[in-house]
Amino acid sequence: YDLILDAAGIPYEDIGAAYAPLLKPWSWATFVTLRSPVLRNTDSYGMVFGMLKNAYDLVAPNVCSGAVFKGSTIRWGFFMPVERGIKELTLLAAEKKITVPIDSVYGFADMKKAFDRVKAGHLRGKVAVKFDE
């Protein structure tokens, strides 16, 4: 993949070994997680040692997974909804330049089954719930 966006909060220690190999080599492919340890580290270790821990937490998965040696990176993303960005994502989706893999689709009446599917794990895409009009 060129880009993997983790919006689910994959445990940070699982990112390097499990997802770095999925990045396309030598294309500056990127794994972006929205689960940044910045605030936790700063709260736990203070400003100076927290920033040192943050630097380590950013460098270690990149080096240990070998991502940087294959022209890929693992990064933290910080989300701030900006209208221009949302419009760009909409355009990319309309042009089929980005797609969302769908694991399964359930009707609203089958919400419990949909929840059970998510809870079971090992998804290969998103679980969608369809609302009838």
Side-chain angles (χ1 to χ4, degrees):
Y1 295 98
D2 293 313
L3 173 69
I4 299 174
L5 175 62
D6 167 33
I10 295 167
Y12 200 68
E13 55 276 0
D14 295 343
I15 292 171
Y19 294 93
L22 300 176
L23 295 171
K24 189 186 301 179
W26 300 110
S27 65
W28 291 111
T30 305
F31 180 96
V32 178
T33 180
L34 300 178
R35 187 178 186 162
S36 162
V38 171
L39 292 176
R40 184 185 69 236
N41 287 342
T42 305
D43 286 347
S44 297
Y45 301 105
M47 183 62 89
V48 174
F49 292 114
M51 288 300 140
L52 289 172
K53 176 80 166 107
N54 289 331
Y56 172 79
D57 285 348
L58 188 58
V59 171
N62 279 286
V63 173
C64 293
S65 69
V68 293
F69 304 116
K70 297 176 188 169
S72 303
T73 59
I74 298 170
R75 302 179 187 190
W76 302 326
F78 298 92
F79 180 73
M80 186 172 124
V82 177
E83 185 177 354
R84 183 173 149 228
I86 300 297
K87 286 181 180 178
E88 180 69 19
L89 288 173
T90 303
L91 179 64
L92 290 171
E95 294 174 352
K96 304 282 190 222
K97 290 184 177 178
I98 59 173
T99 59
V100 178
I102 303 294
D103 179 85
S104 50
V105 178
Y106 294 90
F108 184 73
D110 295 323
M111 184 70 79
K112 181 169 180 356
K113 290 179 184 176
F115 180 77
D116 290 341
R117 176 69 186 108
V118 172
K119 192 174 176 183
H122 304 290
L123 298 172
R124 297 289 177 229
K126 298 295 179 186
V127 172
V129 175
K130 184 177 179 180
F131 293 85
D132 294 328
E133 294 181 22

